[in-house]
mmCIF file of all heavy atoms in Angstrom:
data_model
loop_
_atom_site.group_PDB
_atom_site.id
_atom_site.type_symbol
_atom_site.label_atom_id
_atom_site.label_comp_id
_atom_site.label_asym_id
_atom_site.label_seq_id
_atom_site.Cartn_x
_atom_site.Cartn_y
_atom_site.Cartn_z
ATOM 1 N N ILE J 22 9.438 31.580 24.635
ATOM 2 C CA ILE J 22 9.671 31.028 25.980
ATOM 3 C C ILE J 22 10.029 29.557 25.819
ATOM 4 O O ILE J 22 9.191 28.724 25.442
ATOM 5 C CB ILE J 22 8.414 31.184 26.861
ATOM 6 C CG1 ILE J 22 7.987 32.650 26.935
ATOM 7 C CG2 ILE J 22 8.676 30.617 28.256
ATOM 8 C CD1 ILE J 22 6.636 32.874 27.596
ATOM 9 N N VAL J 23 11.286 29.224 26.077
ATOM 10 C CA VAL J 23 11.773 27.864 25.881
ATOM 11 C C VAL J 23 12.602 27.434 27.084
ATOM 12 O O VAL J 23 12.957 28.244 27.941
ATOM 13 C CB VAL J 23 12.605 27.741 24.588
ATOM 14 C CG1 VAL J 23 11.728 28.010 23.359
ATOM 15 C CG2 VAL J 23 13.799 28.675 24.597
ATOM 16 N N MET J 51 14.611 32.219 28.436
ATOM 17 C CA MET J 51 15.075 30.861 28.712
ATOM 18 C C MET J 51 14.697 30.501 30.152
ATOM 19 O O MET J 51 15.083 31.203 31.076
ATOM 20 C CB MET J 51 16.594 30.757 28.568
ATOM 21 C CG MET J 51 17.150 31.350 27.284
ATOM 22 S SD MET J 51 16.708 30.401 25.843
ATOM 23 C CE MET J 51 16.344 31.724 24.668
ATOM 24 N N VAL J 52 13.951 29.445 30.319
ATOM 25 C CA VAL J 52 13.528 29.053 31.671
ATOM 26 C C VAL J 52 14.723 28.609 32.512
ATOM 27 O O VAL J 52 14.782 28.873 33.705
ATOM 28 C CB VAL J 52 12.445 27.967 31.581
ATOM 29 C CG1 VAL J 52 12.172 27.341 32.944
ATOM 30 C CG2 VAL J 52 11.165 28.570 31.014
ATOM 31 N N THR J 53 15.711 27.956 31.888
ATOM 32 C CA THR J 53 16.945 27.572 32.588
ATOM 33 C C THR J 53 18.121 28.234 31.896
ATOM 34 O O THR J 53 17.985 28.867 30.865
ATOM 35 C CB THR J 53 17.170 26.051 32.579
ATOM 36 O OG1 THR J 53 17.726 25.656 31.320
ATOM 37 C CG2 THR J 53 15.875 25.288 32.802
ATOM 38 N N LEU J 90 15.261 32.739 33.485
ATOM 39 C CA LEU J 90 14.402 32.700 34.666
ATOM 40 C C LEU J 90 15.015 31.955 35.836
ATOM 41 O O LEU J 90 14.519 32.033 36.947
ATOM 42 C CB LEU J 90 13.050 32.080 34.305
ATOM 43 C CG LEU J 90 12.240 32.835 33.244
ATOM 44 C CD1 LEU J 90 10.868 32.172 33.074
ATOM 45 C CD2 LEU J 90 12.077 34.305 33.602
ATOM 46 N N HIS J 92 15.330 28.622 36.535
ATOM 47 C CA HIS J 92 14.868 27.308 36.983
ATOM 48 C C HIS J 92 15.966 26.279 36.744
ATOM 49 O O HIS J 92 16.786 26.438 35.838
ATOM 50 C CB HIS J 92 13.591 26.921 36.241
ATOM 51 C CG HIS J 92 12.383 27.685 36.675
ATOM 52 N ND1 HIS J 92 11.357 27.126 37.392
ATOM 53 C CD2 HIS J 92 12.059 29.000 36.492
ATOM 54 C CE1 HIS J 92 10.433 28.041 37.638
ATOM 55 N NE2 HIS J 92 10.826 29.196 37.102
ATOM 56 N N VAL J 97 13.159 20.753 35.425
ATOM 57 C CA VAL J 97 12.092 21.756 35.414
ATOM 58 C C VAL J 97 10.773 21.063 35.723
ATOM 59 O O VAL J 97 10.447 20.025 35.164
ATOM 60 C CB VAL J 97 12.011 22.457 34.046
ATOM 61 C CG1 VAL J 97 10.816 23.404 33.999
ATOM 62 C CG2 VAL J 97 13.284 23.219 33.754
ATOM 63 N N GLU J 98 10.004 21.671 36.621
ATOM 64 C CA GLU J 98 8.723 21.108 37.015
ATOM 65 C C GLU J 98 7.578 21.972 36.517
ATOM 66 O O GLU J 98 7.568 23.182 36.715
ATOM 67 C CB GLU J 98 8.631 20.984 38.535
ATOM 68 C CG GLU J 98 9.582 19.971 39.143
ATOM 69 C CD GLU J 98 9.371 19.844 40.639
ATOM 70 O OE1 GLU J 98 9.684 20.788 41.361
ATOM 71 O OE2 GLU J 98 8.870 18.787 41.059
ATOM 72 N N TYR J 99 6.591 21.312 35.877
ATOM 73 C CA TYR J 99 5.353 22.008 35.600
ATOM 74 C C TYR J 99 4.668 22.290 36.931
ATOM 75 O O TYR J 99 4.542 21.396 37.770
ATOM 76 C CB TYR J 99 4.425 21.158 34.725
ATOM 77 C CG TYR J 99 3.057 21.805 34.575
ATOM 78 C CD1 TYR J 99 2.805 22.682 33.525
ATOM 79 C CD2 TYR J 99 2.075 21.607 35.533
ATOM 80 C CE1 TYR J 99 1.587 23.314 33.424
ATOM 81 C CE2 TYR J 99 0.849 22.236 35.430
ATOM 82 C CZ TYR J 99 0.609 23.104 34.378
ATOM 83 O OH TYR J 99 -0.604 23.741 34.288
ATOM 84 N N GLY J 100 4.205 23.503 37.130
ATOM 85 C CA GLY J 100 3.516 23.822 38.360
ATOM 86 C C GLY J 100 3.300 25.314 38.495
ATOM 87 O O GLY J 100 3.618 26.104 37.591
ATOM 88 N N LEU J 101 2.772 25.705 39.633
ATOM 89 C CA LEU J 101 2.402 27.107 39.835
ATOM 90 C C LEU J 101 3.586 28.061 39.766
ATOM 91 O O LEU J 101 3.457 29.147 39.181
ATOM 92 C CB LEU J 101 1.662 27.262 41.170
ATOM 93 C CG LEU J 101 0.317 26.526 41.252
ATOM 94 C CD1 LEU J 101 -0.309 26.724 42.623
ATOM 95 C CD2 LEU J 101 -0.634 26.999 40.160
ATOM 96 N N PRO J 102 4.761 27.753 40.345
ATOM 97 C CA PRO J 102 5.874 28.702 40.229
ATOM 98 C C PRO J 102 6.259 28.998 38.780
ATOM 99 O O PRO J 102 6.514 30.147 38.423
ATOM 100 C CB PRO J 102 7.012 28.014 41.000
ATOM 101 C CG PRO J 102 6.312 27.152 41.996
ATOM 102 C CD PRO J 102 5.114 26.638 41.273
ATOM 103 N N LEU J 103 6.286 27.956 37.944
ATOM 104 C CA LEU J 103 6.635 28.176 36.544
ATOM 105 C C LEU J 103 5.535 28.938 35.824
ATOM 106 O O LEU J 103 5.806 29.865 35.045
ATOM 107 C CB LEU J 103 6.915 26.843 35.863
ATOM 108 C CG LEU J 103 7.323 26.894 34.382
ATOM 109 C CD1 LEU J 103 8.535 27.794 34.169
ATOM 110 C CD2 LEU J 103 7.597 25.488 33.861
ATOM 111 N N ARG J 104 4.290 28.576 36.054
ATOM 112 C CA ARG J 104 3.180 29.321 35.449
ATOM 113 C C ARG J 104 3.222 30.788 35.855
ATOM 114 O O ARG J 104 2.995 31.682 35.026
ATOM 115 C CB ARG J 104 1.848 28.698 35.846
ATOM 116 C CG ARG J 104 1.483 27.448 35.065
ATOM 117 C CD ARG J 104 0.244 26.766 35.618
ATOM 118 N NE ARG J 104 -0.889 27.680 35.789
ATOM 119 C CZ ARG J 104 -2.017 27.333 36.403
ATOM 120 N NH1 ARG J 104 -2.166 26.108 36.895
ATOM 121 N NH2 ARG J 104 -3.001 28.208 36.522
ATOM 122 N N ARG J 105 3.519 31.048 37.116
ATOM 123 C CA ARG J 105 3.588 32.436 37.592
ATOM 124 C C ARG J 105 4.700 33.199 36.881
ATOM 125 O O ARG J 105 4.509 34.344 36.454
ATOM 126 C CB ARG J 105 3.826 32.474 39.105
ATOM 127 C CG ARG J 105 3.858 33.890 39.683
ATOM 128 C CD ARG J 105 4.294 33.874 41.136
ATOM 129 N NE ARG J 105 3.387 33.106 41.948
ATOM 130 C CZ ARG J 105 3.686 31.952 42.553
ATOM 131 N NH1 ARG J 105 4.905 31.433 42.413
ATOM 132 N NH2 ARG J 105 2.794 31.314 43.286
ATOM 133 N N ASP J 106 5.859 32.578 36.749
ATOM 134 C CA ASP J 106 6.975 33.246 36.085
ATOM 135 C C ASP J 106 6.652 33.558 34.626
ATOM 136 O O ASP J 106 7.014 34.620 34.101
ATOM 137 C CB ASP J 106 8.234 32.380 36.166
ATOM 138 C CG ASP J 106 8.877 32.410 37.536
ATOM 139 O OD1 ASP J 106 8.462 33.241 38.377
ATOM 140 O OD2 ASP J 106 9.812 31.620 37.767
ATOM 141 N N ILE J 107 5.964 32.635 33.961
ATOM 142 C CA ILE J 107 5.602 32.866 32.564
ATOM 143 C C ILE J 107 4.534 33.939 32.454
ATOM 144 O O ILE J 107 4.604 34.816 31.579
ATOM 145 C CB ILE J 107 5.150 31.535 31.923
ATOM 146 C CG1 ILE J 107 6.357 30.611 31.768
ATOM 147 C CG2 ILE J 107 4.469 31.780 30.573
ATOM 148 C CD1 ILE J 107 6.023 29.202 31.343
ATOM 149 N N ALA J 108 3.562 33.922 33.343
ATOM 150 C CA ALA J 108 2.543 34.974 33.342
ATOM 151 C C ALA J 108 3.184 36.341 33.550
ATOM 152 O O ALA J 108 2.792 37.331 32.905
ATOM 153 C CB ALA J 108 1.498 34.702 34.416
ATOM 154 N N ARG J 109 4.167 36.396 34.429
ATOM 155 C CA ARG J 109 4.862 37.682 34.675
ATOM 156 C C ARG J 109 5.569 38.157 33.397
ATOM 157 O O ARG J 109 5.509 39.341 33.050
ATOM 158 C CB ARG J 109 5.866 37.507 35.811
ATOM 159 C CG ARG J 109 6.620 38.797 36.167
ATOM 160 C CD ARG J 109 7.685 38.566 37.218
ATOM 161 N NE ARG J 109 7.115 38.267 38.527
ATOM 162 C CZ ARG J 109 7.169 37.076 39.123
ATOM 163 N NH1 ARG J 109 7.780 36.042 38.494
ATOM 164 N NH2 ARG J 109 6.641 36.876 40.304
ATOM 165 N N VAL J 110 6.251 37.237 32.711
ATOM 166 C CA VAL J 110 6.932 37.581 31.468
ATOM 167 C C VAL J 110 5.943 38.147 30.456
ATOM 168 O O VAL J 110 6.197 39.171 29.805
ATOM 169 C CB VAL J 110 7.647 36.337 30.896
ATOM 170 C CG1 VAL J 110 8.003 36.547 29.428
ATOM 171 C CG2 VAL J 110 8.896 36.018 31.695
ATOM 172 N N ASP J 137 12.140 18.696 30.178
ATOM 173 C CA ASP J 137 12.060 20.146 30.341
ATOM 174 C C ASP J 137 11.229 20.801 29.241
ATOM 175 O O ASP J 137 10.468 21.745 29.487
ATOM 176 C CB ASP J 137 13.457 20.770 30.343
ATOM 177 C CG ASP J 137 14.227 20.508 31.620
ATOM 178 O OD1 ASP J 137 13.684 19.890 32.554
ATOM 179 O OD2 ASP J 137 15.410 20.953 31.693
ATOM 180 N N ILE J 139 8.736 19.498 27.593
ATOM 181 C CA ILE J 139 7.336 19.186 27.836
ATOM 182 C C ILE J 139 6.772 20.066 28.939
ATOM 183 O O ILE J 139 5.694 20.664 28.796
ATOM 184 C CB ILE J 139 7.169 17.698 28.179
ATOM 185 C CG1 ILE J 139 7.597 16.832 26.971
ATOM 186 C CG2 ILE J 139 5.739 17.385 28.572
ATOM 187 C CD1 ILE J 139 7.701 15.361 27.265
ATOM 188 N N ALA J 140 7.507 20.200 30.041
ATOM 189 C CA ALA J 140 7.029 21.013 31.158
ATOM 190 C C ALA J 140 6.899 22.477 30.764
ATOM 191 O O ALA J 140 5.895 23.131 31.087
ATOM 192 C CB ALA J 140 7.989 20.870 32.342
ATOM 193 N N VAL J 141 7.890 22.998 30.065
ATOM 194 C CA VAL J 141 7.863 24.426 29.706
ATOM 195 C C VAL J 141 6.763 24.716 28.701
ATOM 196 O O VAL J 141 6.044 25.716 28.806
ATOM 197 C CB VAL J 141 9.232 24.880 29.181
ATOM 198 C CG1 VAL J 141 9.157 26.282 28.573
ATOM 199 C CG2 VAL J 141 10.260 24.856 30.306
ATOM 200 N N GLY J 142 6.600 23.847 27.705
ATOM 201 C CA GLY J 142 5.547 24.073 26.729
ATOM 202 C C GLY J 142 4.164 24.049 27.345
ATOM 203 O O GLY J 142 3.330 24.923 27.068
ATOM 204 N N ARG J 143 3.907 23.073 28.201
ATOM 205 C CA ARG J 143 2.601 23.004 28.847
ATOM 206 C C ARG J 143 2.377 24.207 29.758
ATOM 207 O O ARG J 143 1.277 24.783 29.791
ATOM 208 C CB ARG J 143 2.493 21.714 29.670
ATOM 209 C CG ARG J 143 2.487 20.434 28.878
ATOM 210 C CD ARG J 143 1.317 20.322 27.920
ATOM 211 N NE ARG J 143 0.023 20.627 28.545
ATOM 212 C CZ ARG J 143 -1.133 20.660 27.871
ATOM 213 N NH1 ARG J 143 -1.153 20.405 26.600
ATOM 214 N NH2 ARG J 143 -2.251 20.945 28.507
ATOM 215 N N ALA J 144 3.399 24.597 30.486
ATOM 216 C CA ALA J 144 3.265 25.756 31.381
ATOM 217 C C ALA J 144 3.075 27.052 30.589
ATOM 218 O O ALA J 144 2.419 27.987 31.048
ATOM 219 C CB ALA J 144 4.478 25.861 32.295
ATOM 220 N N THR J 145 3.653 27.112 29.381
ATOM 221 C CA THR J 145 3.476 28.294 28.544
ATOM 222 C C THR J 145 2.029 28.438 28.116
ATOM 223 O O THR J 145 1.454 29.534 28.156
ATOM 224 C CB THR J 145 4.415 28.242 27.331
ATOM 225 O OG1 THR J 145 5.773 28.258 27.793
ATOM 226 C CG2 THR J 145 4.195 29.429 26.409
ATOM 227 N N ASP J 147 -0.577 27.476 29.683
ATOM 228 C CA ASP J 147 -1.378 27.913 30.827
ATOM 229 C C ASP J 147 -0.967 29.283 31.338
ATOM 230 O O ASP J 147 -1.803 30.093 31.728
ATOM 231 C CB ASP J 147 -1.291 26.874 31.943
ATOM 232 C CG ASP J 147 -1.934 25.549 31.546
ATOM 233 O OD1 ASP J 147 -2.895 25.578 30.749
ATOM 234 O OD2 ASP J 147 -1.471 24.506 32.025
ATOM 235 N N GLY J 148 0.355 29.556 31.341
ATOM 236 C CA GLY J 148 0.838 30.839 31.839
ATOM 237 C C GLY J 148 0.364 32.008 30.994
ATOM 238 O O GLY J 148 0.116 33.101 31.512
ATOM 239 N N ASP J 151 -3.067 32.596 32.162
ATOM 240 C CA ASP J 151 -2.990 33.187 33.500
ATOM 241 C C ASP J 151 -2.686 34.674 33.428
ATOM 242 O O ASP J 151 -3.163 35.463 34.255
ATOM 243 C CB ASP J 151 -1.900 32.506 34.341
ATOM 244 C CG ASP J 151 -2.166 31.036 34.608
ATOM 245 O OD1 ASP J 151 -3.347 30.634 34.628
ATOM 246 O OD2 ASP J 151 -1.187 30.286 34.794
ATOM 247 N N PHE J 158 -2.717 34.638 40.381
ATOM 248 C CA PHE J 158 -1.421 35.205 40.756
ATOM 249 C C PHE J 158 -1.567 36.701 41.066
ATOM 250 O O PHE J 158 -0.976 37.572 40.430
ATOM 251 C CB PHE J 158 -0.367 34.967 39.667
ATOM 252 C CG PHE J 158 -0.157 33.533 39.323
ATOM 253 C CD1 PHE J 158 -0.191 33.100 38.004
ATOM 254 C CD2 PHE J 158 0.054 32.579 40.318
ATOM 255 C CE1 PHE J 158 0.004 31.761 37.686
ATOM 256 C CE2 PHE J 158 0.248 31.248 40.017
ATOM 257 C CZ PHE J 158 0.207 30.841 38.693
#
Side-chain angles (χ1 to χ4, degrees):
I22 304 171
V23 295
M51 311 290 140
V52 169
T53 81
L90 299 185
H92 287 251
V97 175
E98 293 184 291
Y99 173 91
L101 295 179
L103 181 55
R104 281 173 50 188
R105 182 188 300 113
D106 284 350
I107 290 171
R109 182 185 290 110
V110 163
D137 286 358
I139 296 171
V141 170
R143 293 299 311 177
T145 297
D147 294 330
D151 296 333
F158 302 130

